[in-house]
Amino acid sequence: QPPRSCEDYWWEWKHCRGLRHAFHHYYAHGELPTCDRWREDYEACRAWEKGRAASAQVRPAPPQRAAASSSGRLWTLRKSPPPDWYLPLDQ
């Protein structure tokens, strides 16, 4: 059984193809979003509902943290604040 209803995959696909989402994704990532996965998951979900075939199982979504960590960190994490964190900045 798919983890979500088939309508959820349909609405995610429709949202992904929307102009507002495409503009935001292009602004943030520099490329248009690829929405093929949502369409494939929707079709697999419908095929599973019709025939309950094991070959039509929906793939699990990749973890978002793995995608974020592969892009590299912008800041180095630290254990404590700097010793002079409360002093005003030099101007």
Side-chain angles (χ1 to χ4, degrees), residues 34-69:
T34 55
C35 303
D36 298 334
R37 180 186 168 104
W38 291 114
R39 180 67 175 185
E40 292 168 5
D41 288 347
Y42 172 72
E43 291 172 355
C45 183
R46 284 293 180 203
W48 188 87
E49 281 185 346
K50 287 182 183 177
R52 304 224 188 266
S55 62
Q57 290 183 353
V58 176
R59 298 173 291 165
Q64 295 296 327
R65 184 174 294 274
S69 66

Side-chain angles (χ1 to χ4, degrees), residues 70-90:
S70 66
S71 64
R73 293 211 179 267
L74 297 176
W75 304 96
T76 57
L77 299 178
R78 57 183 181 212
K79 305 258 185 230
S80 62
D84 59 348
W85 65 270
Y86 57 89
L87 296 175
L89 297 174
D90 294 334

